Amino acid sequence: EDIEIIENEDIEDLDASDEEADEDFVDESTQVFSGHEKAVLCCGLSGDKRYAVSGGEDDKAFVWRTDDSGVVFEAIGHKESVVCVGFNSNDTHVATADMNGLIQVWTMSGEKVFDFEVDEINWMSWHPIAHNVLMAGTAAGDAWMWKLNPSLTADCKTFQSFGKSNCVAKCLSDGKRIAMGYEDGVIRIWDLKTVSVIHAISDFSAHKATVTALDCMSDDTLIGSGSLDSTAKLVNTVTGKVVATFQCSNTPQDSDEDVDSVESIGLNSALSVLATGTVEGSVDIWDISTQIKRHSCKHSTGISKLLWDHNSPHLLYTAGLDGVLNVFDSRSGELMGTKRGHSHHILDFCISRDSSIALTASEDNSCKLFSLS
C-alpha cells in the first residue's frame, strides 16, 4: 500500500490550522466545572443558585459550588452512567440516579440518607411542593414514589406497569397529579395520593410513537406532550381529551426519511403559546387558542432541550448539537443572542429561578455557567 509522506511544511500547515481553530473558539462562560472524565449527561441548580449538581457517563456525580467550581462532595457508589440529578424543593437534599436504577439521596454535607434500586431508570423528579417526596420511572414501565422520613426510612408507593417503558413525567403544579408518557405513545394522568390513573390518552388520538417530552400550564388546565412521531399534543387535564395536535416536521410521516422527532417542549402560560424543538433543529412557537404556528426560530442544528425564561416570558432558551445556548424572542422568532463555550453537544441545561445564570452539561466532559444578565 502507498504510504502518504507528510512533509515538514505540511505539519506546519496542520499546526497553523489548529492554532487558527483555537483562536476562533470563544468561551463566554463565567465558571467551568471539569471534574468529569466523560460526557456530562445531566445537571441541576439549587434554588438559591449557590450549588450545582452534575452526573456523567463516567459513573460519577458531583455537587459543586457555583462561585468557584469547587467540589462540595462526590456522590460515590454509582457503577453506571449517572442520568438523573436534582435538588429538592427546599435545597436540603440532592438525588442522583444511574442507568442501572440505583437512586441515592444526600444531604448538602455529603451524607447519604437513602438509597434504592429499581429497574433501568428513565426519569427522576422531586415533588414540586413536598420537599421529602421523590419519584422515578423505569424502562420496565412502572414508577416509584418515596416519602423520606427523618428516621432515614421511606414510605414507598408503586405505580402499575402497563408493559411499556415509562419514558418521561411531569408533576402538575397542584402537587396532587402527575402525567407520565410511555413508549407506546400513551399518556396517563395519575392521582398521587391513590396511585390510580385518572385519565389515559390511549385511543386513536394518542401519539403513534414514544412520548419524549411533557410540560403543563401553570394553572394545570393543559398538558403538552412531544413524541418521536414528530407531533406535539395538548391534553385537557379535566376531560383527558386531546384538544390540539401540532405537526412539528416538514417530513411526511409516511416518508422513507427518518421522522423528525420532537425532543423538547415548553408551555408558556403568560403568552398562551407552546414551543417545540426537534432533532432536526425546528424550533416553532404555536398559538394555543388558534393552533396556528406564530413563528419559526432559525436553528442550525438539532435541539436537545428548550426552556422558557422564568421572569421574562417572551424569552426562549434552546441548546443542542452545536454546543451553543441560544436566546430567542418568541414574539418575533428572532435570535436575541448566544452563549458560547462548549466544543461539543450540550446534552442538558437549566436556568436559575431568578433567570440570572444558566448551567450547561456537555459531551465535552464539562459543565459551564453563563451569565444571563
Side-chain angles (χ1 to χ4, degrees):
E1 295 182 4
D2 293 335
I3 299 176
E4 183 180 359
I5 303 300
I6 300 179
E7 303 291 346
N8 288 338
E9 293 84 355
D10 295 329
I11 294 174
E12 290 173 2
D13 289 343
L14 289 171
D15 291 341
S17 64
D18 288 342
E19 288 175 5
E20 289 174 6
D22 289 341
E23 289 174 2
D24 291 340
F25 183 75
V26 176
D27 190 350
E28 300 172 287
S29 64
T30 57
Q31 290 289 340
V32 180
F33 179 73
S34 51
H36 290 280
E37 299 167 357
K38 292 185 179 180
V40 188
L41 306 176
C42 52
C43 62
L45 279 170
S46 62
D48 59 11
K49 66 182 181 181
R50 294 172 56 201
Y51 301 101
V53 58
S54 55
E57 199 177 14
D58 55 0
D59 310 345
K60 294 182 178 180
F62 296 95
V63 173
W64 45 280
R65 295 183 298 272
T66 57
D67 59 351
D68 62 1
S69 299
V71 173
V72 180
F73 67 90
E74 179 183 349
I76 59 174
H78 292 292
K79 296 181 180 179
E80 248 297 350
S81 298
V82 178
V83 292
C84 301
V85 293
F87 295 94
N88 67 343
S89 59
N90 67 351
D91 295 336
T92 57
H93 293 80
V94 61
T96 59
D98 65 36
M99 194 175 288
N100 275 353
L102 173 61
I103 295 171
Q104 303 187 97
V105 178
W106 314 79
T107 65
M108 294 305 295
S109 61
E111 177 191 2
K112 185 170 73 171
V113 294
F114 176 73
D115 61 31
F116 199 90
E117 286 197 59
V118 295
D119 296 300
E120 180 182 341
I121 196 165
N122 287 332
W123 61 266
M124 179 185 72
S125 175
W126 286 101
H127 192 278
I129 302 170
H131 58 262
N132 62 337
V133 174
L134 181 67
M135 295 168 283
T138 73
D142 52 10
W144 301 75
M145 179 169 63
W146 302 274
K147 181 181 178 182
L148 310 181
N149 302 314
S151 60
L152 306 186
T153 60
D155 300 325
C156 180
K157 292 183 178 181
T158 307
F159 299 81
Q160 174 187 349
S161 170
F162 291 86
K164 298 294 182 179
S165 183
N166 188 331
C167 300
V168 65
K170 177 68 176 181
C171 194
L172 277 64
S173 58
D174 64 9
K176 299 176 180 179
R177 295 168 291 172
I178 188 170
M180 299 181 189
Y182 295 80
E183 182 184 18
D184 55 1
V186 173
I187 298 168
R188 293 183 175 89
I189 303 173
W190 295 79
D191 182 292
L192 287 175
K193 185 176 182 179
T194 62
V195 198
S196 59
V197 176
I198 304 170
H199 298 295
I201 298 85
S202 57
D203 56 13
F204 62 90
S205 61
H207 286 291
K208 304 300 186 289
T210 301
V211 181
T212 54
L214 289 170
D215 199 11
C216 65
M217 282 291 210
S218 60
D219 63 1
D220 293 337
T221 55
L222 292 173
I223 291 171
S225 61
S227 169
L228 290 182
D229 67 7
S230 78
T231 68
K233 292 180 182 289
L234 293 178
V235 177
N236 184 302
T237 59
V238 176
T239 65
K241 302 297 183 183
V242 174
V243 295
T245 299
F246 305 95
Q247 181 61 46
C248 303
S249 172
N250 295 323
T251 304
Q253 289 189 332
D254 56 358
S255 168
D256 292 333
E257 299 180 40
D258 291 337
V259 174
D260 185 12
S261 65
V262 177
E263 291 296 299
S264 186
I265 66 165
L267 281 167
N268 187 318
S269 301
L271 301 180
S272 191
V273 296
L274 168 71
T276 59
T278 74
V279 73
E280 294 296 330
S282 298
V283 178
D284 298 317
I285 311 296
W286 305 87
D287 186 284
I288 290 175
S289 59
T290 63
Q291 302 178 20
I292 295 174
K293 186 188 299 185
R294 281 191 186 177
H295 301 291
S296 289
C297 305
K298 189 176 180 181
H299 210 279
S300 58
T301 61
I303 298 296
S304 58
K305 189 173 182 178
L306 59 78
L307 288 172
W308 289 104
D309 190 285
H310 301 302
N311 299 284
S312 299
H314 61 284
L315 294 182
L316 177 69
Y317 299 91
T318 68
L321 307 187
D322 58 358
V324 178
L325 181 66
N326 304 277
V327 189
F328 290 97
D329 187 332
S330 64
R331 298 168 298 187
S332 62
E334 295 297 317
L335 181 66
M336 299 292 292
T338 58
K339 297 293 182 180
R340 300 175 182 273
H342 287 294
S343 58
H344 292 288
H345 307 169
I346 294 176
L347 303 177
D348 191 17
F349 78 96
C350 56
I351 307 294
S352 62
R353 289 179 187 172
D354 64 359
S355 304
S356 64
I357 59 173
L359 170 66
T360 55
S362 172
E363 207 169 72
D364 66 10
N365 305 354
S366 74
C367 272
K368 298 199 173 186
L369 286 163
F370 297 89
S371 172
L372 301 179
S373 339

